[in-house]
Amino acid sequence: MFVLPPPVKQNQNTCDMARFRFFSSAQAGVDPHGWTLPSSYAASKPDTKPTLIPNPAIFSNADAPRKLDLSQGILNYPDASHAAVHLALLECFQKLRLGASALDVQVDEPPEYQEKMTPTSPKAASRPRKSQHWAVLVKLAVARFDAWWSNIHLVLTHAAAYANRAGSGAQIQLTKDYLPPLDVLLVWYAFMQDTVAYMAACRDREGQIPGLPSLCFPWMAVRAVIDMESMTYELPNGAKTLFRTLSHQSADILEYLSSPPAYSEEASLPFSIDFVAEVQKHDEFIDAAHNALWIRSPALHGSLKRAAAEYMKLWSGGSASADATGNASFGVQLFSRTSRLFPHFYERLLHEGDVKASKSECGKQPQATDQESSECICWTCELIRDELPLFTHASTAPNRESASSTPASPLIAQQISSLAPDTLRQIQDDLGFYGAVEKARQRGHRLPTRPPTKAEKDAARIAKQRQDEVGYRPGINEYAELQADGSTKIRRSKHANAWSGLNWAT
């Protein structure tokens, strides 16, 4: 669980960091949840490099399969980048729930039974609790999903004609201009989590919509419309217009609900599924993801890498517990849910991989949260695991005020003492900086900044080397010409037009 670090005296940065270096080595025997962290960082200025958390590079591989070629291996998806987009999307779902709780709407409920009516008898219309606000929103979201799903053939046909630039052999994927609103996406997300029901529904319409079963989650499009600074899902105008055309409703469900009467007929989806219950089933995991806040963690890359390895180890070992167990770690649950967003791949993983799961197992969803796992997944513990993969700490909510005077257990103290002093200082500095950034973000202040760390410099150097190896790629109206000396020169077409220079993938 993410807890902001306690502030230290805000003196000059150099004095603060000097004092921090002195205390850092002395904290090796303190429980990591009680470390005193640096918190004095310079605020970013307009002419300085902005602080970007999470690092955009974490999303670089969040693409969809260009072709449904299962012979290349069914464990290639998901990647850590998909899980990172998933975490960001869960934050958007969380914000949607918070927005629902602020609505000023009424819910019609039957009055309580009474033998005799009295002047103080409750009225049928009453102000709902926060959970009722969310129930109202989800019920309407299901009806809006009905309107969208019923017209998915129109969406995909239009996308195939105007947005599919990967050739006729590639799978059709939704671009950002064809995305549904966030509430509709939430219902679609919940529907995909039940692999058996979802694939059956897709196959029922495959005659009308060829390729529908192989349509996976629109990863790149979702990444493109999420503002990572505010964790806000922002549809482009084209997508808003498309949804209004299909449903005659505003794409913003909160806007629609805030303008009474907010009424919708019961959804007429041809499935024997309680979609409201299916959506609400994921509330607990959305809360767990928000409490852990891995998407803002300095250990995000390492956490996802370890979670992916743990998930793949379960599958490669032939254990159905990768999905069916009730004691799955938060990381395994994250990758399990992410895998289900590649429904065709996931179905084949179950039925053609080493694991031979029954259809009933296909629809199971691990319900355990991080509180039920034995290992703490807070920022501190996860960042330590980047250096000490076998680091263990009980899964308890970190309380720095009470833990600051608590000595570390002998096992934890032994593990922490094995870290080099510079490594320990860097861990604590990363925790302090990321905590200060999150605190500034929550308060609406300008985000702090700091000089690049050694790891950041190394990453930038490697990225530049890779870019130099790849070289400059020709753009529109440009082409590469091989020279006599073996070098490549980029030339511009003299007869440029809108289509020249494009190499379509087939």
Side-chain angles (χ1 to χ4, degrees), residues 229-482:
E229 180 60 32
S230 61
M231 289 299 166
T232 303
Y233 183 89
E234 300 177 348
L235 278 183
N237 291 331
K240 293 178 182 179
T241 301
L242 177 62
F243 183 77
R244 183 178 290 276
T245 301
L246 295 175
S247 67
H248 307 290
Q249 297 180 17
S250 169
D252 186 343
I253 191 173
L254 298 180
E255 176 184 314
Y256 179 78
L257 275 171
S258 63
S259 302
Y263 172 78
S264 176
E265 296 181 356
E266 291 291 334
S268 58
L269 288 164
F271 317 119
S272 57
I273 301 173
D274 185 348
F275 278 91
V276 174
E278 287 298 313
V279 171
Q280 293 178 331
K281 183 191 300 183
H282 301 284
D283 288 354
E284 186 178 2
F285 186 73
I286 293 173
D287 288 337
H290 180 67
N291 290 335
L293 206 60
W294 275 11
I295 194 63
R296 300 292 193 194
S297 168
L300 174 60
H301 182 270
S303 296
L304 295 180
K305 183 179 179 180
R306 288 186 291 274
E310 182 183 1
Y311 182 66
M312 292 187 67
K313 182 179 179 180
L314 289 173
W315 280 117
S316 61
S319 172
S321 63
D323 278 37
T325 181
N327 296 318
S329 68
F330 172 78
V332 167
Q333 291 184 73
L334 174 65
F335 271 83
S336 170
R337 286 170 164 82
T338 308
S339 295
R340 293 166 188 265
L341 300 178
F342 296 88
H344 204 167
F345 276 75
Y346 186 78
E347 184 183 54
R348 295 290 291 273
L349 173 65
L350 289 173
H351 294 287
E352 294 191 4
D354 294 332
V355 179
K356 301 298 183 181
S358 66
K359 287 188 176 182
S360 60
E361 287 177 321
C362 220
K364 287 184 179 179
Q365 187 63 252
Q367 296 300 315
T369 59
D370 59 282
Q371 288 82 2
E372 298 170 325
S373 181
S374 60
E375 293 296 332
C376 180
I377 60 169
C378 74
W379 290 9
T380 300
C381 293
E382 286 295 313
L383 195 55
I384 293 173
R385 290 189 187 105
D386 283 355
E387 303 295 335
L388 303 173
L390 300 181
F391 177 76
T392 59
H393 198 296
S395 178
T396 56
N399 187 333
R400 294 191 180 277
E401 293 183 359
S402 61
S404 59
S405 59
T406 302
S409 68
L411 177 59
I412 291 177
Q414 181 181 9
Q415 294 179 87
I416 298 300
S417 64
S418 68
L419 294 170
D422 287 346
T423 301
L424 179 60
R425 283 195 294 270
Q426 189 59 63
I427 289 174
Q428 294 175 342
D429 182 46
D430 288 345
L431 291 169
F433 178 69
Y434 277 67
V437 169
E438 189 59 24
K439 181 183 291 186
R441 181 181 286 112
Q442 292 177 4
R443 294 177 175 177
H445 296 170
R446 183 176 295 174
L447 300 186
T449 186
R450 66 173 177 177
T453 64
K454 181 179 182 301
E456 292 169 343
K457 290 179 180 178
D458 290 343
R461 176 178 52 80
I462 293 174
K464 186 178 184 304
Q465 288 178 349
R466 290 177 177 175
Q467 183 60 41
D468 291 341
E469 293 173 359
V470 173
Y472 179 84
R473 294 184 177 182
I476 295 177
N477 302 328
E478 294 179 338
Y479 62 95
E481 183 179 80
L482 184 64

Side-chain angles (χ1 to χ4, degrees), residues 90-150:
L90 291 173
E91 286 299 300
C92 294
F93 290 157
Q94 174 74 3
K95 290 193 70 172
L96 181 64
R97 289 174 60 193
L98 293 177
S101 66
L103 288 172
D104 185 17
V105 297
Q106 290 186 331
V107 177
D108 290 332
E109 297 180 327
E112 297 179 2
Y113 173 76
Q114 293 182 348
E115 290 284 345
K116 297 180 179 180
M117 295 299 294
T118 65
T120 59
S121 297
K123 297 180 180 179
S126 60
R127 189 168 301 281
R129 300 184 299 273
K130 289 184 178 180
S131 60
Q132 291 176 312
H133 281 115
W134 179 236
V136 170
L137 187 145
V138 170
K139 186 175 181 180
L140 179 57
V142 171
R144 284 156 59 88
F145 174 76
D146 180 16
W148 181 77
W149 182 259
S150 299

